[in-house]
PDB file of all heavy atoms in Angstrom:
ATOM      1  N   ASP F  53     -22.728  37.575   2.128  1.00 97.00           N
ATOM      2  CA  ASP F  53     -22.980  38.616   1.128  1.00 97.00           C
ATOM      3  C   ASP F  53     -21.754  38.823   0.247  1.00 97.00           C
ATOM      4  O   ASP F  53     -21.876  39.011  -0.963  1.00 97.00           O
ATOM      5  CB  ASP F  53     -23.363  39.937   1.797  1.00 97.00           C
ATOM      6  CG  ASP F  53     -24.750  39.889   2.436  1.00 97.00           C
ATOM      7  OD1 ASP F  53     -25.559  39.021   2.031  1.00 97.00           O
ATOM      8  OD2 ASP F  53     -25.011  40.707   3.330  1.00 97.00           O
ATOM      9  N   LEU F  54     -20.576  38.799   0.866  1.00 96.00           N
ATOM     10  CA  LEU F  54     -19.328  38.928   0.107  1.00 96.00           C
ATOM     11  C   LEU F  54     -19.180  37.762  -0.864  1.00 96.00           C
ATOM     12  O   LEU F  54     -18.829  37.952  -2.037  1.00 96.00           O
ATOM     13  CB  LEU F  54     -18.127  38.990   1.048  1.00 96.00           C
ATOM     14  CG  LEU F  54     -16.752  39.025   0.397  1.00 96.00           C
ATOM     15  CD1 LEU F  54     -16.566  40.286  -0.439  1.00 96.00           C
ATOM     16  CD2 LEU F  54     -15.657  38.940   1.470  1.00 96.00           C
ATOM     17  N   GLN F  55     -19.490  36.556  -0.409  1.00 96.00           N
ATOM     18  CA  GLN F  55     -19.413  35.389  -1.289  1.00 96.00           C
ATOM     19  C   GLN F  55     -20.402  35.520  -2.444  1.00 96.00           C
ATOM     20  O   GLN F  55     -20.060  35.243  -3.599  1.00 96.00           O
ATOM     21  CB  GLN F  55     -19.692  34.103  -0.518  1.00 96.00           C
ATOM     22  CG  GLN F  55     -19.616  32.863  -1.391  1.00 96.00           C
ATOM     23  CD  GLN F  55     -19.960  31.583  -0.647  1.00 96.00           C
ATOM     24  OE1 GLN F  55     -20.164  31.577   0.549  1.00 96.00           O
ATOM     25  NE2 GLN F  55     -20.027  30.486  -1.391  1.00 96.00           N
ATOM     26  N   ALA F  56     -21.614  35.972  -2.165  1.00 96.00           N
ATOM     27  CA  ALA F  56     -22.629  36.137  -3.225  1.00 96.00           C
ATOM     28  C   ALA F  56     -22.202  37.192  -4.241  1.00 96.00           C
ATOM     29  O   ALA F  56     -22.440  37.041  -5.441  1.00 96.00           O
ATOM     30  CB  ALA F  56     -23.973  36.508  -2.608  1.00 96.00           C
ATOM     31  N   LYS F  57     -21.547  38.227  -3.764  1.00 97.00           N
ATOM     32  CA  LYS F  57     -21.139  39.331  -4.636  1.00 97.00           C
ATOM     33  C   LYS F  57     -19.874  39.015  -5.429  1.00 97.00           C
ATOM     34  O   LYS F  57     -19.802  39.261  -6.628  1.00 97.00           O
ATOM     35  CB  LYS F  57     -20.904  40.583  -3.787  1.00 97.00           C
ATOM     36  CG  LYS F  57     -20.431  41.791  -4.563  1.00 97.00           C
ATOM     37  CD  LYS F  57     -20.188  42.964  -3.645  1.00 97.00           C
ATOM     38  CE  LYS F  57     -19.605  44.126  -4.428  1.00 97.00           C
ATOM     39  NZ  LYS F  57     -19.231  45.244  -3.557  1.00 97.00           N
ATOM     40  N   SER F  58     -18.874  38.433  -4.761  1.00 96.00           N
ATOM     41  CA  SER F  58     -17.551  38.267  -5.376  1.00 96.00           C
ATOM     42  C   SER F  58     -17.133  36.820  -5.585  1.00 96.00           C
ATOM     43  O   SER F  58     -16.080  36.565  -6.162  1.00 96.00           O
ATOM     44  CB  SER F  58     -16.491  38.955  -4.503  1.00 96.00           C
ATOM     45  OG  SER F  58     -16.827  40.291  -4.252  1.00 96.00           O
ATOM     46  N   GLY F  59     -17.914  35.888  -5.073  1.00 95.00           N
ATOM     47  CA  GLY F  59     -17.517  34.481  -5.159  1.00 95.00           C
ATOM     48  C   GLY F  59     -16.552  34.114  -4.050  1.00 95.00           C
ATOM     49  O   GLY F  59     -16.226  34.922  -3.183  1.00 95.00           O
ATOM     50  N   VAL F  60     -16.083  32.889  -4.087  1.00 96.00           N
ATOM     51  CA  VAL F  60     -15.125  32.409  -3.094  1.00 96.00           C
ATOM     52  C   VAL F  60     -13.745  32.954  -3.460  1.00 96.00           C
ATOM     53  O   VAL F  60     -13.328  32.854  -4.617  1.00 96.00           O
ATOM     54  CB  VAL F  60     -15.114  30.860  -3.058  1.00 96.00           C
ATOM     55  CG1 VAL F  60     -14.056  30.346  -2.101  1.00 96.00           C
ATOM     56  CG2 VAL F  60     -16.483  30.328  -2.669  1.00 96.00           C
ATOM     57  N   PRO F  61     -13.003  33.521  -2.501  1.00 97.00           N
ATOM     58  CA  PRO F  61     -11.679  34.067  -2.808  1.00 97.00           C
ATOM     59  C   PRO F  61     -10.721  32.998  -3.332  1.00 97.00           C
ATOM     60  O   PRO F  61     -10.797  31.827  -2.938  1.00 97.00           O
ATOM     61  CB  PRO F  61     -11.183  34.603  -1.464  1.00 97.00           C
ATOM     62  CG  PRO F  61     -12.400  34.768  -0.624  1.00 97.00           C
ATOM     63  CD  PRO F  61     -13.376  33.735  -1.103  1.00 97.00           C
ATOM     64  N   LYS F  62      -9.815  33.421  -4.202  1.00 98.00           N
ATOM     65  CA  LYS F  62      -8.868  32.471  -4.811  1.00 98.00           C
ATOM     66  C   LYS F  62      -8.008  31.778  -3.763  1.00 98.00           C
ATOM     67  O   LYS F  62      -7.657  30.611  -3.930  1.00 98.00           O
ATOM     68  CB  LYS F  62      -7.991  33.163  -5.850  1.00 98.00           C
ATOM     69  CG  LYS F  62      -7.015  34.154  -5.281  1.00 98.00           C
ATOM     70  CD  LYS F  62      -6.105  34.740  -6.331  1.00 98.00           C
ATOM     71  CE  LYS F  62      -5.200  35.755  -5.629  1.00 98.00           C
ATOM     72  NZ  LYS F  62      -4.087  36.171  -6.334  1.00 98.00           N
ATOM     73  N   HIS F  63      -7.699  32.464  -2.646  1.00 98.00           N
ATOM     74  CA  HIS F  63      -6.882  31.817  -1.615  1.00 98.00           C
ATOM     75  C   HIS F  63      -7.635  30.683  -0.921  1.00 98.00           C
ATOM     76  O   HIS F  63      -7.034  29.689  -0.511  1.00 98.00           O
ATOM     77  CB  HIS F  63      -6.382  32.843  -0.597  1.00 98.00           C
ATOM     78  CG  HIS F  63      -5.353  33.781  -1.158  1.00 98.00           C
ATOM     79  ND1 HIS F  63      -4.138  33.356  -1.654  1.00 98.00           N
ATOM     80  CD2 HIS F  63      -5.370  35.119  -1.319  1.00 98.00           C
ATOM     81  CE1 HIS F  63      -3.453  34.393  -2.089  1.00 98.00           C
ATOM     82  NE2 HIS F  63      -4.178  35.478  -1.908  1.00 98.00           N
ATOM     83  N   ALA F  64      -8.956  30.808  -0.810  1.00 97.00           N
ATOM     84  CA  ALA F  64      -9.751  29.713  -0.258  1.00 97.00           C
ATOM     85  C   ALA F  64      -9.749  28.527  -1.215  1.00 97.00           C
ATOM     86  O   ALA F  64      -9.629  27.372  -0.798  1.00 97.00           O
ATOM     87  CB  ALA F  64     -11.180  30.175   0.014  1.00 97.00           C
ATOM     88  N   ILE F  65      -9.845  28.808  -2.496  1.00 97.00           N
ATOM     89  CA  ILE F  65      -9.788  27.745  -3.506  1.00 97.00           C
ATOM     90  C   ILE F  65      -8.428  27.068  -3.475  1.00 97.00           C
ATOM     91  O   ILE F  65      -8.334  25.827  -3.490  1.00 97.00           O
ATOM     92  CB  ILE F  65     -10.102  28.320  -4.904  1.00 97.00           C
ATOM     93  CG1 ILE F  65     -11.555  28.818  -4.957  1.00 97.00           C
ATOM     94  CG2 ILE F  65      -9.834  27.285  -5.996  1.00 97.00           C
ATOM     95  CD1 ILE F  65     -11.888  29.674  -6.167  1.00 97.00           C
ATOM     96  N   ASN F  66      -7.370  27.865  -3.375  1.00 98.00           N
ATOM     97  CA  ASN F  66      -6.011  27.295  -3.336  1.00 98.00           C
ATOM     98  C   ASN F  66      -5.786  26.458  -2.077  1.00 98.00           C
ATOM     99  O   ASN F  66      -5.164  25.393  -2.141  1.00 98.00           O
ATOM    100  CB  ASN F  66      -4.971  28.411  -3.418  1.00 98.00           C
ATOM    101  CG  ASN F  66      -4.968  29.099  -4.768  1.00 98.00           C
ATOM    102  OD1 ASN F  66      -5.476  28.566  -5.758  1.00 98.00           O
ATOM    103  ND2 ASN F  66      -4.423  30.301  -4.816  1.00 98.00           N
ATOM    104  N   LEU F  67      -6.287  26.923  -0.930  1.00 98.00           N
ATOM    105  CA  LEU F  67      -6.145  26.149   0.305  1.00 98.00           C
ATOM    106  C   LEU F  67      -6.949  24.860   0.212  1.00 98.00           C
ATOM    107  O   LEU F  67      -6.462  23.793   0.613  1.00 98.00           O
ATOM    108  CB  LEU F  67      -6.588  26.979   1.506  1.00 98.00           C
ATOM    109  CG  LEU F  67      -6.477  26.294   2.872  1.00 98.00           C
ATOM    110  CD1 LEU F  67      -5.057  25.809   3.150  1.00 98.00           C
ATOM    111  CD2 LEU F  67      -6.960  27.243   3.977  1.00 98.00           C
ATOM    112  N   LYS F  68      -8.147  24.927  -0.328  1.00 97.00           N
ATOM    113  CA  LYS F  68      -8.958  23.718  -0.495  1.00 97.00           C
ATOM    114  C   LYS F  68      -8.232  22.710  -1.383  1.00 97.00           C
ATOM    115  O   LYS F  68      -8.192  21.516  -1.097  1.00 97.00           O
ATOM    116  CB  LYS F  68     -10.319  24.089  -1.091  1.00 97.00           C
ATOM    117  CG  LYS F  68     -11.229  22.888  -1.338  1.00 97.00           C
ATOM    118  CD  LYS F  68     -11.125  22.456  -2.767  1.00 97.00           C
ATOM    119  CE  LYS F  68     -12.007  21.267  -3.063  1.00 97.00           C
ATOM    120  NZ  LYS F  68     -11.702  20.686  -4.382  1.00 97.00           N
ATOM    121  N   ARG F  69      -7.628  23.187  -2.461  1.00 96.00           N
ATOM    122  CA  ARG F  69      -6.901  22.288  -3.366  1.00 96.00           C
ATOM    123  C   ARG F  69      -5.643  21.734  -2.713  1.00 96.00           C
ATOM    124  O   ARG F  69      -5.256  20.587  -2.969  1.00 96.00           O
ATOM    125  CB  ARG F  69      -6.603  22.992  -4.674  1.00 96.00           C
ATOM    126  CG  ARG F  69      -7.892  23.207  -5.472  1.00 96.00           C
ATOM    127  CD  ARG F  69      -7.677  23.912  -6.771  1.00 96.00           C
ATOM    128  NE  ARG F  69      -8.969  24.054  -7.470  1.00 96.00           N
ATOM    129  CZ  ARG F  69      -9.198  24.916  -8.424  1.00 96.00           C
ATOM    130  NH1 ARG F  69      -8.239  25.735  -8.841  1.00 96.00           N
ATOM    131  NH2 ARG F  69     -10.384  24.974  -8.990  1.00 96.00           N
TER     132      ARG F  69
END
Side-chain angles (χ1 to χ4, degrees):
D53 290 339
L54 176 64
Q55 180 183 355
K57 178 182 175 185
S58 306
V60 176
K62 68 176 178 165
H63 290 299
I65 295 167
N66 292 341
L67 181 56
K68 179 263 180 191
R69 290 179 179 161

